[in-house]
Amino acid sequence: MSVNTASTVEDSAVLEPGADFAGEAADQACRETGSDFARLSKKITAAGLMRRRPLYYTVRMGIIAALFAGGWVAFALVGDSWWTLAVAAFLAVVFGQVALVAHDVGHRQVFRLRQASVRAGKIAGNLAIGMGYGWWQDKHSRHHANPNHVELDPDVVPDILVWTQAQAKEAKGLPRLIGRSQAYLFFPLLTLEGFNLHVAGVRALANRSLKQRTSEGILLFTHFAVYLGALFVVLPPGKAIAFLAVHQCLFGLYLGSIFAPNHKGMPTLSGDDRPDFLRRQVLTSRNVRGGWFTDTALGGLNYQIEHHLFPNMPSPHLRHAQPIVRQHCEELGVSYLETSLITSYSQALRSLHDAGAPIRATATTEARPESEAGPESEMKADAKADVKVEA
């Protein structure tokens, strides 16, 4: 049974912090009595996997908060030394872990009440790492509702990279310039993702549809003031700029590397190509196998299929949901993809390379006439000369 949730989610997503549109889309699909997803949801609920884990998140958030504080204490103690760049690398990882907590909070995995989720999300996002929580949640919710849909998923908009050959054929400006070599530039470009999050969060403050933008702006600019103030008070200008570059570039690389394996290189949708909710989520997502280290480093998002089907499920439950979801998909004959981390990156890069093929082909075609024009031009010139001589 096909479940169209796009209109509901799209109409509701107005940059409102705490609005769990991804969870609402899943709930709407679950209410479709007798659907493939509804039957799966009953199995998951019966297994107790939708129950919140307050103790787990208390411990996890406490550890991350201690690491966050410890990183800045180390920054102050190391002081004017190039060893401060090691602290920058450490804090890049900690910032990534804070972002993962903000992600779980945004999906209502942590708190039952919306207001508590909003407060925690703004503290973790805006204040701690300088990411606009309301902007991110709106963008991420629209992605969850329509993953890899080229018209509805903001994560596959061709703003810098092209994700399909159809986008490549229409590409202009920066996407066209980068597109021909985008597979090689993908990871270097991820180093700019931290800066992009800051800029996007600030730009969103100008959008009047952003709810609570005053408090978001205060927290966001407080972060920038304290962060930059600390850097330039403790360090001389050269080391401060070096710390900022290392910290923000590694933060962006880490964050981008977490999300890249999830959907890149998976099938894309367009137009009215709208399978039912279960297939829309499963067929466009990829799981990454691994042990406790992978689970920790990727924040549980290596179980991307289960997360997309049940965005409100606490992340430690995702690995327990995996065998249930996999078996259900096998019974339905729905393809379920799980790879290693390295293979996921390889598939993503191969897809990016293939998507840029029309740009490379056009560049080759445009370059060819210049090399082939010599003999033809000489023949035409000789013909014109003969005409003149005969005249």
Side-chain angles (χ1 to χ4, degrees):
M1 180 178 292
S2 178
V3 181
N4 189 333
T5 61
S7 60
T8 302
V9 175
E10 285 295 305
D11 293 343
S12 304
V14 285
L15 299 171
E16 185 172 3
D20 180 27
F21 302 121
E24 291 172 8
D27 290 342
Q28 181 177 335
C30 187
R31 287 193 293 270
E32 296 290 331
T33 306
S35 70
D36 293 334
F37 178 72
R39 293 197 303 274
L40 173 61
S41 182
K42 288 180 180 179
K43 298 176 185 178
I44 293 294
T45 303
L49 298 177
M50 296 305 296
R51 291 198 303 265
R52 286 181 171 82
R53 294 283 300 275
L55 179 59
Y56 164 83
Y57 277 109
T58 299
V59 173
R60 178 181 169 187
M61 293 167 75
I63 291 173
I64 293 173
L67 293 173
F68 185 89
W72 287 113
V73 170
F75 167 78
L77 293 176
V78 170
D80 184 5
S81 166
W82 285 111
W83 283 105
T84 194
L85 299 185
V87 179
F90 171 77
L91 280 172
V93 176
V94 175
F95 268 44
Q97 287 292 316
V98 174
L100 288 171
V101 168
H103 170 272
D104 288 6
V105 167
H107 280 298
R108 306 269 192 93
Q109 297 176 17
V110 183
F111 302 104
R112 181 177 60 86
L113 298 178
R114 173 176 172 175
Q115 198 57 39
S117 298
V118 172
R119 290 196 190 100
K122 290 196 292 187
I123 290 172
N126 296 59
L127 185 60
I129 63 175
M131 178 186 75
Y133 177 71
W135 160 80
W136 170 82
Q137 192 178 45
D138 169 78
K139 176 177 178 288
H140 192 61
S141 294
R142 288 186 284 127
H143 156 72
H144 262 267
N146 297 283
N148 272 17
H149 193 291
V150 294
E151 285 114 30
L152 301 175
D153 182 357
D155 286 354
V156 290
V157 170
D159 48 359
I160 294 180
L161 304 176
V162 293
W163 306 103
T164 68
Q165 292 194 358
Q167 290 179 341
K169 292 174 182 177
E170 301 294 329
K172 297 179 181 179
L174 193 57
R176 184 172 184 82
L177 177 65
I178 292 176
R180 68 183 68 184
S181 305
Q182 61 182 12
Y184 302 99
L185 297 174
F186 179 68
F187 282 105
L189 285 172
L190 287 183
T191 61
L192 303 177
E193 182 59 23
F195 298 104
N196 176 59
L197 288 177
H198 303 321
V199 172
V202 172
R203 290 178 61 185
L205 296 175
N207 189 341
R208 294 184 178 276
S209 66
L210 175 64
K211 303 295 180 66
Q212 303 183 21
R213 61 177 180 158
T214 299
S215 62
E216 289 225 17
I218 290 173
L219 292 174
L220 204 56
F221 283 103
T222 297
H223 166 84
F224 296 144
V226 173
Y227 177 83
L228 294 175
L231 262 57
F232 285 94
V233 167
V234 174
L235 302 174
K239 284 192 178 74
I241 293 173
F243 182 99
L244 186 149
V246 170
H247 178 222
Q248 294 297 327
C249 288
L250 290 182
F251 169 49
L253 180 62
Y254 176 40
L255 205 58
S257 298
I258 291 173
F259 289 95
N262 300 340
H263 304 280
K264 307 312 179 191
M266 297 301 291
T268 56
L269 307 174
S270 62
D272 295 329
D273 189 8
R274 301 292 310 286
D276 65 285
F277 180 82
L278 183 142
R279 289 165 179 80
R280 188 160 73 245
Q281 305 299 337
V282 174
L283 296 177
T284 60
S285 303
R286 176 197 296 110
N287 276 15
V288 174
R289 71 173 68 95
W292 67 268
F293 179 79
T294 303
D295 290 1
T296 302
L298 302 186
L301 295 182
N302 44 312
Y303 303 102
Q304 189 66 195
I305 294 173
E306 289 71 29
H307 171 60
H308 258 255
L309 288 170
F310 303 97
N312 301 137
M313 180 184 292
S315 58
H317 286 170
L318 293 171
R319 65 187 181 94
H320 300 294
Q322 184 183 31
I324 300 174
V325 173
R326 188 200 295 269
Q327 182 180 2
H328 189 76
C329 289
E330 288 176 356
E331 293 171 357
L332 295 172
V334 175
S335 177
Y336 181 104
L337 180 61
E338 182 181 42
T339 71
S340 68
L341 184 61
I342 299 301
T343 301
S344 72
Y345 290 141
S346 175
Q347 291 176 353
L349 293 177
R350 190 179 303 115
S351 174
L352 282 169
H353 183 72
D354 292 344
I359 299 177
R360 293 192 299 275
T362 302
T364 302
T365 302
E366 291 174 350
R368 186 176 299 142
E370 296 179 3
S371 60
E372 295 177 353
E376 294 178 2
S377 298
E378 291 177 4
M379 292 174 63
K380 291 179 180 179
D382 291 342
K384 289 181 179 179
D386 291 342
V387 170
K388 289 181 179 179
V389 170
E390 291 175 0

